[in-house]
Amino acid sequence: MPSPDAIKVCTPKSLPGADLFAAAKTAVEMNPANRPYVRPVTALLPAGTVTKEFISAMTTKYWKSGGVHLAVRFLDTDAADLKARIISHMNAWSPGANIKFSESRSNDAEVRIARTPGDGYWSYLGTDILHIAADQPTMNLDSFSMDTDESEYKRVVRHETGHTLGFPHEHLRREVVGNIDPKKAIRYFLEADGWSAATTKAQVLTPLEDSSLIATPTDTVSIMCYQLPGSIMRDGRPVPGGLDIDDQDRKFAQTLYPAKLVTATHPVAKVAAHAH
C-alpha cells in the first residue's frame, strides 16, 4: 500500500498507440521544430528498426513558437473561486512569455480539467491534448479544492501545466536515470505510490532520447523534476526536485514561447484550437 506520508507524484498520460502517428503529424504541423532529428540515432540501430511508430515516439509536442493561448474548461465544478485559483497557477508560466490560459465553457476548449478522486495527478503532453475527445479530461487534479494547501497548488498545478505546454519530466534526463538503482527504485515506488515495476520503469527508469530534447542543462530543481531520495541513487545523493517554477524553467518557457509586444497593427495571434 502507498505510504500515507509519500508525496503524490505525477503520472503523465500517453495516447493509445493507434493515435501516436496522427499526434506526431499534428505536432509537426503545429511547430516544425517538433520533427525529430533521428539521423545520428538511426545510424546505430538495426535495419528496419526505424518505423513511423519509432519516429512518432521521438516527436516533441511543443505548441507554436509564437505563443500558447489555450481555453480551459472544468468538467466537475462550477465554483468560481476554485476555477480562478487553478487558472491563476496555470498562468504562473506567463510572466515574460507569450502564454495564457483562460476559462471557457465551450466544448472547443483545448484543456479540460477534472478532479477525479483516486485518479492521481496527470496531464497529456502538449499538442497531444488535441487528440483527446472533447468530453474527456486532458488533466486531472485529484481531489483539489479550496482547502488544498497553496504549496500543492504551486507544486502540482504548475507541474501539470508544464506538461500541457509540452515540457517532459526533467528527471528522465539520461544522466539522472543512469544514477538510479533500478531494483531500489522499483521497491521504493511500490511502497511510496503503489506503482508496479512496469510503471516505475516507464516513469522513472526510461530516459528521454537526447534527440528529443532542446539543449539545456539538466535542472534537478525544476518544477518538472521528481524528488528522488538518496536511498535509490547509486551515489546516495538525493535529487531535490522542484516545488515551484525556477529560473531555468522560466527562461526555457520564455525562449520557447517568447513574449511579443501587442500593438494595434500587430496583435498576438491566438493558437487555433484544432488547426489540424
Side-chain angles (χ1 to χ4, degrees), residues 85-247:
R85 187 177 179 189
I86 290 172
I87 288 179
S88 72
H89 281 276
M90 297 177 76
N91 280 320
W93 286 98
S94 300
N98 189 10
I99 295 171
K100 184 176 181 180
F101 295 93
S102 304
E103 185 194 351
S104 172
R105 294 181 180 272
S106 170
N107 288 336
D108 290 334
E110 298 94 341
V111 183
R112 280 93 59 190
I113 297 177
R115 300 171 303 121
T116 306
D119 199 28
Y121 304 144
W122 54 259
S123 172
Y124 287 93
L125 190 65
T127 57
D128 278 357
I129 69 175
L130 300 178
H131 288 264
I132 307 302
D135 63 346
Q136 295 298 309
T138 66
M139 180 189 297
N140 194 68
L141 302 174
D142 189 335
S143 304
F144 257 62
S145 71
M146 290 300 291
D147 292 331
T148 302
D149 193 82
E150 181 70 4
S151 64
E152 282 294 270
Y153 273 84
K154 291 180 179 179
R155 183 182 76 88
V156 176
V157 177
R158 298 181 183 191
H159 178 102
E160 300 307 337
T161 303
H163 285 317
T164 296
L165 291 170
F167 307 154
H169 273 145
E170 187 72 8
H171 60 270
L172 294 181
R173 296 280 193 142
R174 194 171 297 278
E175 65 186 86
V176 177
V177 174
N179 192 33
I180 299 173
D181 184 306
K183 291 183 179 179
K184 291 180 180 178
I186 289 170
R187 183 168 60 249
Y188 170 80
F189 282 101
L190 173 63
E191 295 173 353
D193 295 288
W195 283 3
S196 67
T199 298
T200 297
K201 288 176 182 177
Q203 301 297 340
V204 180
L205 299 174
T206 304
L208 295 166
E209 292 292 342
D210 293 340
S211 59
S212 71
L213 295 169
I214 294 177
T216 55
T218 299
D219 181 9
T220 57
V221 292
S222 165
I223 188 64
M224 304 311 297
C225 186
Y226 280 0
Q227 296 174 329
L228 300 174
S231 61
I232 71 171
M233 308 304 291
R234 297 184 192 275
D235 63 4
R237 299 173 61 184
V239 173
L243 301 178
D244 197 357
I245 299 167
D246 72 358
D247 288 344

